[in-house]
Amino acid sequence: MSRAFVSEDAMAAQAAELPERPISDRPNLVTLSGLTAIEAEIARLQTALAEEKQSTVEESERRAVLARDLRYWLARRASAQLVPTAPENAEEVAFGDTVKLKLGGRTVTYRIVGEDEADPKQGLISYASPLAEALLGAALEEEVTFGPGRPSATVLKIIRIAGI
């Protein structure tokens, strides 16, 4: 049978099989830029859903994905806990801080952000990541051990802490 003759009920049933996006059980801490990104994604998805047709199976599937993603982001916005910006040149690493680290002979910089904001390639790490957990609460000039036990553990030295 041609897909053109698939009933709307069949399309809806197929779309209903789409699993929900998992939501972390950790607190949904966000920076101001993270909250702004959530709001922008909700607006984008609402616009896309309003413009999406549902006359073909492919369009129905795309609409189901958009609707599922919108539910995810609405839940994330509802649970978002905006964390105030830390003061510039803080003495201790906190959520939202940008931390400059000495790793062997090189220097790396990471910003500790919410789970949905994380993008390690861009230097943004989730506060729930093992690296961030090792850094949170550490002081300027402190050496922090990260990774599996000795001798393969990595020692990082905090050389700058900056709030944004």
Side-chain angles (χ1 to χ4, degrees):
M1 172 164 61
S2 168
R3 289 181 67 106
F5 294 105
V6 174
S7 72
E8 286 183 27
D9 290 339
M11 285 192 292
Q14 186 177 12
E17 294 173 15
L18 188 65
E20 291 298 317
R21 289 180 60 176
I23 294 179
S24 173
D25 57 354
R26 291 181 179 258
N28 185 16
L29 305 181
V30 297
T31 63
L32 182 56
S33 59
L35 187 58
T36 301
I38 289 172
E39 294 286 344
E41 186 63 5
I42 288 170
R44 184 191 73 76
L45 290 166
Q46 287 173 330
T47 299
L49 265 172
E51 294 172 353
E52 190 69 34
K53 298 176 183 132
Q54 194 170 338
S55 58
T56 68
V57 172
E58 292 80 18
E59 290 166 341
S60 181
E61 289 170 355
R62 173 148 169 74
R63 187 169 180 75
V65 169
L66 291 170
R68 183 222 27 212
D69 289 350
L70 180 58
R71 287 190 301 275
Y72 173 84
W73 289 110
L74 287 170
R76 295 304 278 172
R77 181 180 63 186
S79 66
Q81 298 174 29
L82 180 62
V83 178
T85 303
E88 184 67 29
N89 298 318
E91 296 293 319
E92 195 173 273
V93 178
F95 181 89
D97 283 343
T98 299
V99 184
K100 189 179 238 180
L101 307 165
K102 186 84 166 173
L103 173 61
R106 64 184 193 145
T107 301
V108 294
T109 303
Y110 293 106
R111 182 169 185 222
I112 300 173
V113 297
E115 291 177 296
D116 292 317
E117 300 173 74
D119 185 353
K121 290 181 181 178
Q122 299 298 316
L124 302 172
I125 59 171
S126 166
Y127 81 96
S129 70
L131 176 57
E133 287 179 341
L135 294 171
L136 288 168
L140 187 62
E141 300 295 323
E142 185 175 334
E143 288 189 348
V144 176
T145 303
F146 167 71
R150 301 189 191 278
S152 59
T154 302
V155 177
L156 309 164
K157 183 173 183 177
I158 301 170
I159 57 177
R160 185 163 189 271
I161 303 169
I164 290 183

